Amino acid sequence: MAETLQKGTLYVVATPIGNLGDISTRAAWVLAGVDRVLAEDTRQTRRLLEHLDLHKTLTPLHEHNEDRQLATVLDWLRGGEMLALVSDAGTPLISDPGFALVRAAREQGLPLVTIPGASAVTAALAVAGLPTDRFVFEGFLPPKAGARRRALEALGRETRTMVFYESPRRVAGALADMAGAFGDARVAVVARELTKAHEQSVQGTLVELADQVADGRIPLKGEFVLMVSGAEAEAGGLDVEVDHLLTQLMTRLSVSDAARMAARITGQGRSGLYQRALAMQNRE
Ligand code: SAM
């Protein structure tokens, strides 16, 4: 490398999301040269370092000790140590620890260098076939069903591609709630086990994807990224038309039947329309 490592610098280093071959030459060079590696799970990072034939001092830095460790780590940096921060997989700080440390280092004017590489969000988007000119990364949805539904409803009019991380236990529930919030016919992608032996990236409507999960064509094993295409940008008068449609339907139907019917007619999500119809009824 023409570059030299700088004393007192925190290197934030991306590591592979499954396939160890995805470590970059520069990341390996930084890991070889630093005084110490701050690792989310030292056992996991040890495997990566063994693959690179490196023997380094590893210090745990995870969500449970990050605040406590902060002062010590900042002292090491001020004392001139060169440190690498890694997480278990992908880019640190992306749904992973590191934010408190990076913020504190920046506040104290300590040098930071990014060593980019894999992240599940960009890996998943790269082959999803959904628009990537603008997207919104939502991280993990709330684990509880009610909070998850509210979070999805708040995204009802989002026009950018939406990206979510999800645990295999919650994929089926998340797809069902997404269909409720965005409509059955919204196009989405389920990406699973990227860069690993059982890699899958399947595009379909939310209902088609839910079916593939239910019949096992998409097994609920491994790591998942869910992506949902954004809503059509609303033409100026559409809100008024939807409200008018709901008003007319509610003269003959219950709020929930009116919302169901309006969802069929407009292609919008049932639960978003239901909330809107309820609000209209309460205003009367
Ligand atoms: N920092 C990581 C990154 O840059 O992508 C993310 C860490 S987060 C704790 C772990 C989540 O990322 C998993 O639950 C899954 O949603 C997603 N993920 C990580 N590796 C993946 C892979 N190989 N395939 C699909 N999703 C993955």
Side-chain angles (χ1 to χ4, degrees):
M1 289 277 164
E3 221 180 324
T4 48
L5 289 176
Q6 299 299 313
K7 291 226 165 293
T9 298
L10 177 63
Y11 291 87
V12 180
V13 182
T15 60
I17 56 167
N19 187 326
L20 293 183
D22 289 334
I23 189 84
S24 76
T25 313
R26 188 160 172 248
W29 170 76
V30 168
L31 291 172
V34 290
D35 298 302
R36 191 190 292 272
V37 178
L38 308 171
E40 184 183 5
D41 177 346
T42 52
R43 286 163 307 177
Q44 180 80 13
T45 300
R46 182 91 53 208
R47 274 196 285 278
L48 173 68
L49 295 181
E50 274 165 16
H51 169 79
L52 298 171
D53 204 16
L54 296 176
H55 306 277
K56 307 296 295 185
T57 307
L58 288 176
T59 301
L61 191 94
H62 42 70
E63 57 176 336
H64 304 295
N65 76 349
E66 188 171 0
D67 289 339
R68 243 182 305 129
Q69 278 281 62
L70 215 53
T72 312
V73 174
L74 293 171
D75 276 349
W76 287 334
L77 287 169
R78 276 190 296 262
E81 280 200 33
M82 299 179 289
L83 305 180
L85 170 70
V86 298
S87 62
D88 286 356
T91 302
L93 282 84
I94 304 301
S95 294
D96 262 343
F99 171 59
L101 174 59
V102 168
R103 181 177 52 183
R106 187 167 275 278
E107 276 168 7
Q108 302 201 7
L110 295 165
L112 288 153
V113 172
T114 185
I115 307 294
S119 185
V121 52
T122 44
L125 279 169
V127 291
L130 299 178
T132 49
D133 49 342
R134 295 172 73 228
F135 64 88
V136 51
F137 174 58
E138 286 288 319
F140 287 96
L141 283 163
K144 295 220 170 104
R148 179 173 69 200
R149 259 178 236 136
R150 283 191 294 279
L152 289 170
E153 268 152 28
L155 290 166
R157 296 186 194 190
E158 177 57 67
T159 54
R160 295 168 291 184
T161 296
M162 294 167 271
V163 186
F164 305 88
Y165 285 171
E166 198 48 280
S167 107
R169 278 173 299 156
R170 292 196 273 267
V171 164
L175 288 173
D177 286 349
M178 285 170 176
F182 307 134
D184 291 350
R186 187 74 72 85
V187 174
V189 172
V190 175
R192 170 178 167 264
E193 293 289 82
L194 296 172
T195 77
K196 305 187 205 175
H198 300 290
E199 172 167 353
Q200 264 187 314
S201 178
V202 185
Q203 189 183 105
T205 65
L206 284 165
V207 152
E208 286 164 356
L209 292 170
D211 284 349
Q212 295 202 35
V213 165
D215 67 19
R217 275 177 288 167
I218 302 175
L220 290 179
K221 283 193 202 130
E223 300 193 277
F224 284 81
V225 180
L226 306 180
M227 290 156 285
V228 186
S229 51
E232 295 291 326
E234 284 178 5
L238 200 61
D239 274 5
V240 177
E241 282 170 23
V242 169
D243 285 352
H244 180 66
L245 176 65
L246 284 169
T247 310
Q248 294 305 313
L249 290 170
M250 281 194 298
T251 59
R252 298 190 173 254
L253 300 172
S254 68
V255 172
S256 69
D257 286 345
R260 189 171 303 116
M261 186 66 76
R264 270 198 219 130
I265 295 169
T266 64
Q268 293 191 18
R270 193 175 59 234
S271 54
L273 290 167
Y274 178 73
Q275 297 301 331
R276 198 155 162 173
L278 267 187
M280 286 166 60
Q281 193 186 47
N282 292 336
R283 273 201 302 269
E284 277 166 10

